[in-house]
Amino acid sequence: MRDPQVILRQKIKDYAQTCVRYGYQRIHILFEREGIHVNHKRVYRLYRIENLHLRKKSTRKRVPRPLTLIDIYTRECLALHIAQSIKAEDVVNVPNRAWYERGKPESIRVDNGYEFISKARLQV
């Protein structure tokens, strides 16, 4: 009688060759669908022993995000703030500096970016 580990290892290799982008968790699900009840930790261990682990996806380069303050009436750029990540404090401080130099506007219109939904912005 063959060792059950050898059979499992062979089945894991077969799944990994036919479904290249499947990791150990997906292979474990395929075992469950077949009615083969194997602990997910065992599947992971055998998956790693066979050197089948997936490559990690490369991280994307972070592009600096601009925060632009534009006067719609005159189409003039009042402030331009560029950073890797824009914090809520920046969203408050950049318009405050422009308002200090030019005075507060009657109304403002903002896009609904995530940086505008914060406690710091609501306190202004």
Side-chain angles (χ1 to χ4, degrees):
M1 183 173 183
R2 293 179 69 183
D3 182 25
Q5 296 282 69
V6 174
I7 296 169
L8 279 176
R9 286 172 74 164
Q10 187 58 45
K11 284 187 92 49
I12 289 171
K13 277 198 268 186
D14 291 342
Y15 279 138
Q17 286 175 351
T18 57
C19 309
V20 180
R21 295 303 303 165
Y22 280 13
Y24 80 94
Q25 293 171 325
R26 282 265 185 99
I27 290 174
H28 178 259
I29 291 170
L30 292 175
F31 279 144
E32 292 290 320
R33 286 183 184 166
E34 281 187 22
I36 303 171
H37 298 289
V38 182
N39 191 328
H40 68 92
K41 292 179 264 186
R42 177 182 280 185
V43 174
Y44 175 72
R45 183 174 50 82
L46 296 174
Y47 187 81
R48 294 291 293 210
I49 287 171
E50 294 295 330
N51 278 334
L52 298 173
H53 46 274
L54 294 172
R55 297 178 294 154
K56 299 221 181 219
K57 293 183 180 178
S58 62
T59 57
R60 296 182 187 182
K61 290 185 180 179
R62 295 184 69 183
V63 178
R65 302 184 68 170
L67 172 61
T68 310
L69 186 63
I70 298 174
D71 182 356
I72 296 174
Y73 182 74
T74 62
R75 299 197 181 271
E76 181 182 1
C77 179
L78 303 177
L80 180 64
H81 178 78
I82 299 175
Q84 289 290 340
S85 63
I86 299 174
K87 297 176 179 61
E89 292 81 26
D90 298 332
V91 174
V92 172
N93 292 336
V94 170
N96 282 344
R97 278 182 284 181
W99 297 342
Y100 179 75
E101 294 171 5
R102 297 191 166 238
K104 287 193 176 184
E106 291 179 17
S107 66
I108 58 173
R109 187 179 80 188
V110 298
D111 66 352
N112 291 329
Y114 63 90
E115 55 280 327
F116 293 105
I117 306 168
S118 67
K119 291 179 184 175
R121 181 69 190 133
L122 294 174
Q123 291 174 353
V124 174

